């Protein structure tokens, strides 16, 4: 029996099964809302900002 999870966007029950192409979301709409939140930086992953000079050094070593 497949598990049931809550849609991260709206909280609706969602069956976690291969037939649900939007899992863990309940619909394309909820999936797009979540993607938009990431794109607008509403969600962030914690940690300290990267040092841009390290990126520059890495590029110069190649």
């Amino acid at each position: 029996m497949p598990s049931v999870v809550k849609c991260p966007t709206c909280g609706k029950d969602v069956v976690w099964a291969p037939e649900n192409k939007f899992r863990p979301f309940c619909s394309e709409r909820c999936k797009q809302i979540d993607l938009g939140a990431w794109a607008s930086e509403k969600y962030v992953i914690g940690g300290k900002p990267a040092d841009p000079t390290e990126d520059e050094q890495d590029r110069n070593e190649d």
Side-chain angles (χ1 to χ4, degrees):
M1 180 175 189
S3 298
V4 175
V5 297
K6 297 282 185 191
C7 173
T9 303
C10 71
K12 180 179 174 183
D13 287 342
V14 177
V15 175
W16 188 273
E19 300 82 44
N20 178 2
K21 64 181 180 178
F22 303 115
R23 70 177 186 255
F25 304 99
C26 66
S27 65
E28 176 72 17
R29 178 182 177 273
C30 282
K31 182 179 170 184
Q32 292 300 323
I33 289 170
D34 185 77
L35 179 61
W38 281 103
S40 67
E41 298 182 356
K42 181 178 177 185
Y43 302 143
V44 294
I45 297 173
K48 65 179 192 173
D51 183 355
T53 58
E54 289 178 13
D55 290 340
E56 183 80 22
Q57 290 169 354
D58 289 344
R59 274 186 248 132
N60 290 336
E61 290 176 5
D62 290 340

